[in-house]
Amino acid sequence: MNLSSLQSEKVIHKMISIDSIKIAYREAGEIGNPVLILLHGFPSSSHMFRTIIPKLSRHFHIIAPDLPAFGFSDIPNPETFKYSFENYSNIVNHFLEELEIVKASFYLFDYGAPILMRVLIKRPEMIEMLIFQNGNIYNEGVGDVLKEISGLYSEINFESFIKLKRFFEFDYTKWEYLNGVQDIANISPETYFLDQFLMDREGVKAIQMELKSDYKTNVALYSVWQDFLKELQPVTLIVWGENDEVFKKEGAELLQRDLPDSKLLFYPTGHFALEEFGDDIAEEIIAFWYLNFKLL
């Protein structure tokens, strides 16, 4: 490997102020290469992309932000910052504007899917390629876990609150990483330990509980996003951990149905598919982009 390749794989950790909130982000790859935005979900951060960024950065200019109250971004006071998916989409949009991103591919995972869909439906001209990885926009893709959480929020009593709290504790965070995987020995323990350590910071669990309660606003927009994608027919790669019990494989199958020119690949793993199949997924992203935009 030559020196320029090594330099392109170097990951730089940066901070930028967006609407008076410090947003941490990882950046790699040469400026001028096609831009690829990687957006994490719950309960993770840009750390979830640590294994694929070096490989992707040989071909793309990679940008992977941490959302407010996730990873190493600021934790705004809930009295002055509304923790909602709509407000997160505003932050992401302003982040892209500040970095002068006008065209990019987007990796939509978990919470990142509804946040980015809110951005992209307003700015469809930005889309070069979409990569959906266990990022759902279909009712049929919602797993029993989220249905249970939704039911608990609707009850609003002490007993339901106690049950809700367990979805923000270590055992559940660990479960999200280990459920459905081929071999738990493939999963680095620091993933779920880091996520929980950051969630255990003062005030963060209450914030995450508030944000989770707002997920219903995403479900209300599912059909709008489906119609948007069916009309636009963007170049789309779908890579999915088929054993995911948070967002089920049916969501991936329906996405491919509505985007018949998309490519769908299932992997025998769970929600955090990159932990076991990161190399394979990175290779598929690179190959799919070259197939659609540039001769190999």
Side-chain angles (χ1 to χ4, degrees):
M1 185 179 295
N2 60 36
L3 181 59
S4 61
S5 295
L6 288 171
Q7 289 174 333
S8 71
E9 292 183 16
K10 183 179 180 181
V11 180
I12 300 172
H13 302 263
K14 293 185 174 182
M15 281 279 187
I16 189 171
S17 181
I18 304 294
D19 300 343
S20 301
I21 299 167
K22 289 183 180 178
I23 299 296
Y25 67 102
R26 300 173 194 236
E27 185 172 14
E30 295 181 16
I31 294 175
N33 278 352
V35 177
L36 174 55
I37 306 296
L38 308 174
L39 190 58
H40 67 87
F42 175 85
S44 56
S45 67
S46 60
H47 179 259
M48 67 170 282
F49 300 112
R50 71 200 178 282
T51 62
I52 66 169
I53 288 177
K55 180 172 286 190
L56 291 173
S57 66
R58 301 174 202 165
H59 306 268
F60 298 95
H61 177 196
I62 303 294
I63 299 171
D66 291 345
L67 295 166
F70 289 86
F72 298 98
S73 289
D74 272 356
I75 307 170
N77 189 323
E79 293 183 3
T80 57
F81 179 86
K82 182 174 177 56
Y83 282 93
S84 68
F85 285 89
E86 182 66 28
N87 207 20
Y88 271 140
S89 74
N90 293 332
I91 291 291
V92 171
N93 189 37
H94 296 163
F95 173 81
L96 296 173
E97 290 175 341
E98 186 67 24
L99 294 182
E100 300 182 344
I101 305 298
V102 295
K103 198 79 170 178
S105 297
F106 296 89
Y107 191 104
L108 300 93
F109 167 77
D110 193 81
Y111 280 8
I115 292 168
L116 284 173
M117 287 304 301
R118 280 175 161 84
V119 174
L120 298 176
I121 202 167
K122 297 173 184 174
R123 301 180 64 187
E125 73 282 355
M126 292 187 66
I127 301 172
E128 187 161 52
M129 177 174 74
L130 301 181
I131 303 129
F132 280 87
Q133 188 254 297
N134 298 78
N136 180 62
I137 59 168
Y138 292 84
N139 287 322
E140 294 86 346
V142 176
D144 290 341
V145 172
L146 286 183
K147 290 178 182 177
E148 180 183 355
I149 292 172
S150 177
L152 290 171
Y153 275 113
S154 66
E155 293 175 17
I156 316 178
N157 56 49
F158 180 76
E159 184 179 350
S160 66
F161 176 76
I162 296 301
K163 290 180 179 178
L164 269 173
K165 283 186 66 178
R166 68 183 177 89
F167 292 100
F168 303 89
E169 301 293 348
F170 179 77
D171 285 348
Y172 178 75
T173 299
K174 183 178 179 180
W175 177 88
E176 281 220 357
Y177 277 92
L178 301 187
N179 181 256
V181 303
Q182 279 193 323
D183 185 351
I184 62 172
N186 293 330
I187 311 302
S188 300
E190 65 264 27
T191 53
Y192 44 87
F193 272 96
L194 175 62
D195 285 357
Q196 192 62 44
F197 172 80
L198 294 171
M199 201 186 314
D200 286 340
R201 291 173 295 177
E202 183 177 358
V204 173
K205 282 183 188 173
I207 286 168
Q208 294 295 354
M209 291 182 75
E210 178 182 346
L211 182 61
K212 187 77 76 175
S213 73
D214 192 57
Y215 193 85
K216 60 183 179 293
T217 66
N218 299 327
V219 177
L221 290 171
Y222 276 179
S223 63
V224 175
W225 298 334
Q226 293 162 23
D227 290 343
F228 167 70
L229 292 179
K230 283 189 280 189
E231 174 68 22
L232 190 64
Q233 292 293 313
V235 174
T236 303
L237 174 65
I238 309 163
V239 287
W240 210 274
E242 63 182 344
N243 301 327
D244 188 2
E245 293 187 42
V246 179
F247 292 124
K248 301 187 297 182
K249 62 187 295 185
E250 286 82 355
E253 292 168 338
L254 288 169
L255 187 59
Q256 187 189 40
R257 179 202 66 185
D258 289 342
L259 301 175
D261 292 331
S262 64
K263 182 177 182 179
L264 170 60
L265 294 165
F266 283 122
Y267 296 87
T269 190
H271 190 62
F272 286 95
L274 295 180
E275 294 301 316
E276 288 198 291
F277 292 95
D279 285 346
D280 296 325
I281 290 172
E283 289 173 4
E284 287 290 345
I285 292 170
I286 294 163
F288 194 71
W289 188 89
Y290 274 90
L291 179 65
N292 283 276
F293 299 103
K294 190 174 182 179
L295 293 177
L296 291 169

